Amino acid sequence: MFHVKHLNQNVPRGTFFNGNKKMVNKYDVIVVGAGHAGCEAAAAAANLGSKVLLITMNMQNIAQMSCNPAMGGVAKGQIVREIDAMGGYSGIVSDLSMIQFRMLNKSKGPAMWSPRTQNDRMLFAQTWREYLEKTPNVDFWQDSVNNIIVEGGKACGVITLMGITLKSRSVIITSGTFLNGIIHIGEKQFGGGRIGEKAATGITEQLVNLGFNSDRLKTGTPPRLDGRSIDYTKVTVQDGDDEIIGFSYTNTPKPKEQRNCWITYTNQDVHDILKTGFDRSPMYTGRIEGSGPRYCPSIEDKINRFADKDRHQLFIEPEGWNTVEIYLNGFSTSLPEDVQQKALQLIPGLENVKMFRPGYAIEYDYFPPTQLKHTLETKLIQNLFFAGQINGTTGYEEAACQGLMAGINAHQAVFEKESVILSRADAYIGVLIDDLINKGTDEPYRMFTSRAEYRMILRQDNADIRLTELSNKLGLASDERLNLMTKKQNAHSKVKQAFSEMKLEPEEINKVLTSKNSAELTQRQKVSQLVLRPNITINDLKTVQKVNDVLVDMTDEEILYAETEIKYETYIQKELELVDKMKRLEEQMLPENFEYNKLKSLSIEAREKLTKIKPRTLGQAGRISGVSPSDISVLMVYMGR
């Protein structure tokens, strides 16, 4: 099992103040906010050698799962595996706190397979805190930040609500939903960044005064239920997978048992009750100004937008091993609590249900991410980084990967090292950041596999192959991780070589082929050709001793990786050729202060967008919304291509 190094007592630590509330020690990186983005940012920067201060309003709420108690899912699972391959902690913490594991989309091709864990909410947060406390160079401070210290165009510290000045060489803001957050339940509204926690004020106003643009978004969460009041005989059980793969490429222990989830549905009676509260809904009365997540709509949004559907699927998800609290996935709402209660009791299995707390919507400030560089450093203020929902994203996974990259690049910046930027062909992380920087977002951004043009090479099973060597060179991913990745690569090479030479006789394999409804052999055939058959796996061929001999000492994950690479080699090669074409455009750098307005051959929209975003390369320019292929041709001519 991978372990973080124990606290190095030789590292100078601690926060020391003089009588004027001035900090004597100076940090390399201050991280504001200890959600998923903040935790990954602090861990990454500290593990690279920066002295880090993590500031949070409440030390008891580090790494809170504010919404659903789960990690991963479609495309999100790929992101968690990428974070793990880079040496981040989210994958390990998720594995250690999982109560159920499922690999989604197994009926589709491997490019679509996405791991997902149901997690113990309290154990997840506890484990994250333990890992951070064992990470050398991480200090903690419980306070609220309401001012960023900017001197000479650089971020160099923060001032807290208690009036304490904390100096640093860089600042990462990971404020989540706390910036001027307002919680809505029916006609009630009150300030808060999360239910029971106050909002953060001051930062938005200061940044706007510095020249930043801000806007409002909204998200929501379902009611939490008392599991003792649910009739489980009326709902459908949803088991976890028999094989628990998990997220981490390290040997983290997996649970020996899993907890069930369940499925139920709304109905027309539920919808009719919900509609009675629409006149008190903050969404329909105009009290909420921000845009909500398109792909995770509230239940009232669903019945309004999909009026032709007479029911919607709901997932009954336990919040942990030792609690009766239930998260009702699919029932996000901001309707009055009395309407929520009446509607819930018309759902099969929930006739006598009790609520622990109602669902609510939260509206908060964000900063359109076109104001950032690909490093997640702001264009206006040097050494100031944004990560997570402040950039307009939604989801723990999207936040965590931004935190990881911001933490890496903040460290690189203060020690004058080369920035680390993942391309769209390197990782879903690269797709996410590139989308945000080039296209911006006016609704909460969520990752999907459809957003990536190179899905076949950005699979969940090969994130370690893609990223671990890079991270190891940085000093983030351990040598242990690199060795595991190298072993996996070598296993693939061994299998590919052996199977391209080894042939099987019909009598050796026909029984297996018949059992799998695959055509029998009439003559000898290479094993590599048999693996190409859609319904044949390498494990099916292990009944032949010489095949089995090749696979000795290989793990299931190594075998599956080798099989996928062999089966889809042609498709993978085509994508790699497209990547090569893209790289040629990415290598053509654009001057930082290029005066696009002087190129009258460019469209007016292209001139405006290019001037605003200031792309680094021709490739990036081509991905900006509103910049056409003809505009790129004009730039290529101008650049001498």
Side-chain angles (χ1 to χ4, degrees):
M1 177 182 170
F2 169 75
H3 295 282
V4 292
K5 291 177 285 188
H6 288 292
L7 209 61
N8 182 351
Q9 299 300 328
N10 295 321
V11 176
R13 298 172 61 76
T15 307
F16 306 99
F17 303 96
N18 62 23
N20 296 319
K21 294 184 180 178
K22 295 284 185 181
M23 192 175 135
V24 177
N25 283 11
K26 185 175 181 179
Y27 286 91
D28 298 312
V29 180
I30 287 178
V31 180
V32 180
H36 299 263
C39 288
E40 285 289 4
N47 282 325
L48 287 172
S50 281
K51 189 173 181 182
V52 177
L53 179 64
L54 179 59
I55 303 177
T56 176
M57 288 182 175
N58 189 338
M59 288 284 290
Q60 308 309 312
N61 291 335
I62 289 174
Q64 275 289 314
M65 294 181 125
S66 305
C67 200
N68 60 320
M71 289 291 284
V74 177
K76 293 168 174 279
Q78 282 87 327
I79 289 177
V80 180
R81 296 218 91 185
E82 290 173 354
I83 293 169
D84 184 76
M86 288 287 289
Y89 290 168
S90 287
I92 293 173
V93 171
S94 298
D95 285 356
L96 292 175
S97 60
M98 80 164 77
I99 63 175
Q100 189 190 85
F101 177 84
R102 295 176 66 222
M103 183 68 76
L104 307 184
N105 287 337
K106 282 297 289 285
S107 62
K108 301 179 181 178
M112 304 296 287
W113 294 7
S114 301
R116 182 185 189 273
T117 57
Q118 196 70 31
N119 293 86
D120 184 310
R121 184 188 299 278
M122 289 183 285
L123 182 58
F124 183 92
Q126 175 189 330
T127 306
W128 244 118
R129 178 165 173 169
E130 288 173 359
Y131 267 73
L132 286 171
E133 289 181 352
K134 291 176 183 176
T135 302
N137 295 334
V138 176
D139 283 349
F140 302 87
W141 185 251
Q142 181 169 299
D143 205 343
S144 178
V145 170
N146 55 16
N147 195 277
I148 302 161
I149 302 171
V150 179
E151 296 175 358
K154 290 184 180 181
C156 50
V158 299
I159 300 174
T160 73
L161 187 65
M162 290 195 285
I164 295 170
T165 298
L166 300 162
K167 301 288 283 187
S168 66
R169 300 165 71 186
S170 67
V171 176
I172 304 174
I173 306 295
T174 66
S175 49
T177 59
F178 280 75
L179 293 183
N180 293 322
I182 298 176
I183 291 172
H184 298 266
I185 304 175
E187 295 174 303
K188 302 170 186 174
Q189 65 178 52
F190 44 91
R194 218 170 11 221
I195 197 79
E197 298 180 60
K198 62 183 180 181
T201 59
I203 291 179
T204 296
E205 293 74 15
Q206 181 195 9
L207 291 174
V208 169
N209 287 335
L210 287 169
F212 287 89
N213 295 319
S214 72
D215 210 333
R216 299 284 277 177
L217 290 177
K218 80 102 178 170
T219 189
T221 191
R224 304 307 196 270
L225 310 178
D226 186 339
R228 297 169 299 183
S229 61
I230 295 174
D231 185 349
Y232 293 99
T233 65
K234 295 183 179 180
V235 295
T236 305
V237 69
Q238 185 181 47
D239 298 315
D241 291 353
D242 291 334
E243 180 188 11
I244 300 177
I245 296 172
F247 290 116
S248 183
Y249 291 98
T250 61
N251 297 317
T252 53
K254 308 299 189 294
K256 293 182 173 59
E257 298 178 355
Q258 299 185 62
R259 284 207 66 178
N260 290 332
C261 295
W262 297 267
I263 297 173
T264 188
Y265 295 88
T266 64
N267 52 54
Q268 194 57 54
D269 290 339
V270 174
H271 299 176
D272 290 342
I273 288 293
L274 292 172
K275 289 175 182 177
T276 66
F278 279 14
D279 62 337
R280 292 185 285 157
S281 166
M283 286 179 55
Y284 297 114
T285 56
R287 287 192 298 277
I288 293 181
E289 299 174 2
S291 301
R294 179 192 304 263
Y295 303 105
C296 189
S298 65
I299 190 65
E300 52 263 41
D301 226 7
K302 288 179 187 177
I303 63 176
N304 193 38
R305 284 164 50 188
F306 308 107
D308 56 318
K309 291 195 173 184
D310 57 8
R311 70 174 192 169
H312 294 282
Q313 193 174 52
L314 304 174
F315 297 91
I316 297 171
E317 299 177 345
E319 299 239 340
W321 290 112
N322 303 307
T323 178
V324 298
E325 189 170 356
I326 293 293
Y327 178 92
L328 190 61
N329 196 338
F331 202 87
S332 178
T333 182
S334 58
L335 288 169
E337 61 269 30
D338 61 311
V339 176
Q340 294 185 37
Q341 181 70 49
K342 290 175 185 175
L344 287 170
Q345 291 180 334
L346 293 173
I347 296 170
L350 307 186
E351 291 85 355
N352 299 304
V353 79
K354 298 176 182 177
M355 278 198 299
F356 281 167
R357 74 166 187 255
Y360 63 89
I362 183 165
E363 194 177 11
Y364 56 94
D365 292 338
Y366 85 107
F367 289 80
T370 52
Q371 300 170 96
L372 302 176
K373 302 175 184 177
H374 271 80
T375 58
L376 298 181
E377 182 183 26
T378 66
K379 294 174 182 176
L380 280 176
I381 305 296
Q382 190 176 344
N383 291 355
L384 176 63
F385 296 77
F386 293 167
Q389 286 177 284
I390 190 173
N391 291 336
T393 59
T394 180
Y396 308 144
E397 305 81 2
E398 289 88 344
C401 73
Q402 291 175 71
L404 174 81
M405 299 310 297
I408 291 171
N409 282 310
H411 169 85
Q412 298 294 97
V414 298
F415 288 97
E416 299 181 351
K417 296 183 178 182
E418 187 177 355
S419 300
V420 179
I421 297 171
L422 299 178
S423 76
R424 299 181 73 90
D426 290 328
Y428 273 90
I429 298 172
V431 174
L432 182 147
I433 293 174
D434 191 66
D435 278 353
L436 292 176
I437 303 312
N438 289 326
K439 302 173 183 176
T441 186
D442 55 8
E443 62 183 46
Y445 177 102
R446 176 179 177 175
M447 179 52 68
F448 288 101
T449 51
S450 58
R451 295 191 190 273
E453 54 269 61
Y454 308 116
R455 293 187 288 278
M456 202 60 239
I457 59 176
L458 300 183
R459 307 188 309 274
Q460 61 84 27
D461 66 302
N462 71 350
D464 54 342
I465 305 295
R466 291 183 273 121
L467 299 172
T468 299
E469 186 174 3
L470 164 67
S471 186
N472 180 260
K473 287 178 180 177
L474 286 172
L476 191 56
S478 65
D479 290 342
E480 178 189 353
R481 286 183 175 276
L482 184 64
N483 292 337
L484 287 170
M485 184 275 290
T486 303
K487 180 175 178 291
K488 183 172 169 179
Q489 277 185 319
N490 292 340
H492 167 236
S493 298
K494 179 182 177 182
V495 170
K496 183 179 179 181
Q497 179 67 29
F499 286 6
S500 65
E501 298 172 353
M502 183 187 299
K503 293 183 178 181
L504 299 184
E505 301 289 346
E507 57 268 23
E508 290 181 287
I509 198 62
N510 274 348
K511 281 187 178 180
V512 172
L513 298 178
T514 301
S515 70
K516 302 293 291 186
N517 296 319
S518 190
E520 292 185 351
L521 298 184
T522 57
Q523 60 184 14
R524 299 172 68 199
Q525 191 171 78
K526 288 181 180 179
V527 177
S528 57
Q529 291 298 309
L530 290 170
V531 174
L532 291 177
R533 295 189 180 193
N535 53 340
I536 298 297
T537 69
I538 287 178
N539 282 331
D540 294 330
L541 307 178
K542 287 170 72 173
T543 55
V544 180
Q545 188 58 47
K546 57 186 177 183
V547 172
N548 198 46
D549 290 343
V550 175
L551 307 174
V552 170
D553 297 328
M554 291 187 191
T555 65
D556 291 340
E557 182 165 352
E558 290 167 350
I559 293 171
L560 180 59
Y561 170 68
E563 178 183 302
T564 304
E565 289 288 308
I566 293 170
K567 276 186 181 293
Y568 297 91
E569 184 176 15
T570 302
Y571 301 98
I572 292 169
Q573 191 56 46
K574 286 181 179 178
E575 280 200 359
L576 290 173
E577 290 170 4
L578 291 173
V579 170
D580 284 339
K581 291 180 181 178
M582 178 195 73
K583 282 183 177 177
R584 289 197 287 273
L585 287 177
E586 294 296 341
E587 289 168 359
Q588 183 62 53
M589 303 299 292
L590 292 168
E592 190 172 346
N593 297 313
F594 195 107
E595 295 186 39
Y596 296 100
N597 285 323
K598 290 186 177 180
L599 282 183
K600 301 304 179 185
S601 300
L602 293 173
S603 68
I604 294 174
E605 184 178 7
R607 275 179 265 161
E608 290 175 353
K609 295 285 182 67
L610 292 166
T611 300
K612 177 182 177 182
I613 294 172
K614 296 183 173 62
R616 296 168 53 251
T617 67
L618 271 175
Q620 183 190 348
R623 294 189 297 276
I624 296 172
S625 176
V627 178
S628 68
S630 61
D631 292 320
I632 296 301
S633 296
V634 170
L635 289 176
M636 290 176 73
V637 170
Y638 185 85
M639 298 300 293
R641 294 294 298 268

